[in-house]
Amino acid sequence: MPQILVDYSAELEFDRAGFAKELHPMIAEVIDTEVAACKTVFRPAVEYVLGDGASGEAFVLVEIKILAGRSAEQRAELTRRALGLLERYVSVPLAYGVEVTELDRATYRFGHLAAR
């Protein structure tokens, strides 16, 4: 179920597939889910401004959406470990954010549509 959204500076070069392939089993371990349930979308940002725009820093923002019900400790561990993984994949000056958000079990649905 986890949905991972990674917004990043389009000019930033890092192994996104490698990052996701390591992130998925880590998420599965921390919140007791299946690796196959993880879905990551990378969204390059061509235009962005950090602060007053003078720093020239790249950025990465990682949002990990999970179903509600995990403990604050699990969510904090997931944030900590995702950040550590990101630090291994990016070696340039970088503004970053990692957040774990919860989806409401009563209103969230995910499925697959068959081709028509």
Side-chain angles (χ1 to χ4, degrees), residues 75-93:
R75 295 189 313 271
E77 176 70 5
L78 193 50
T79 299
R80 185 187 68 73
R81 290 178 63 180
L83 176 57
L85 183 61
L86 180 63
E87 289 173 348
R88 289 188 20 234
Y89 274 85
V90 180
S91 60
V92 298

Side-chain angles (χ1 to χ4, degrees), residues 26-102:
M26 184 267 297
I27 291 171
E29 178 184 328
V30 173
I31 66 168
D32 191 28
T33 191
E34 299 295 322
V35 171
C38 296
K39 297 157 282 301
T40 297
V41 175
F42 291 94
R43 305 184 298 192
V46 175
E47 295 184 39
Y48 61 92
V49 176
L50 300 178
D52 65 4
S55 74
E57 271 185 311
F59 79 92
V60 176
L61 302 174
V62 179
E63 181 181 12
I64 303 170
K65 298 179 178 190
I66 60 174
L67 286 174
R70 275 45 177 241
S71 70
E73 292 79 15
Q74 283 176 301
R75 295 189 313 271
E77 176 70 5
L78 193 50
T79 299
R80 185 187 68 73
R81 290 178 63 180
L83 176 57
L85 183 61
L86 180 63
E87 289 173 348
R88 289 188 20 234
Y89 274 85
V90 180
S91 60
V92 298
L94 182 73
Y96 63 85
V98 176
E99 179 183 24
V100 175
T101 59
E102 293 184 307

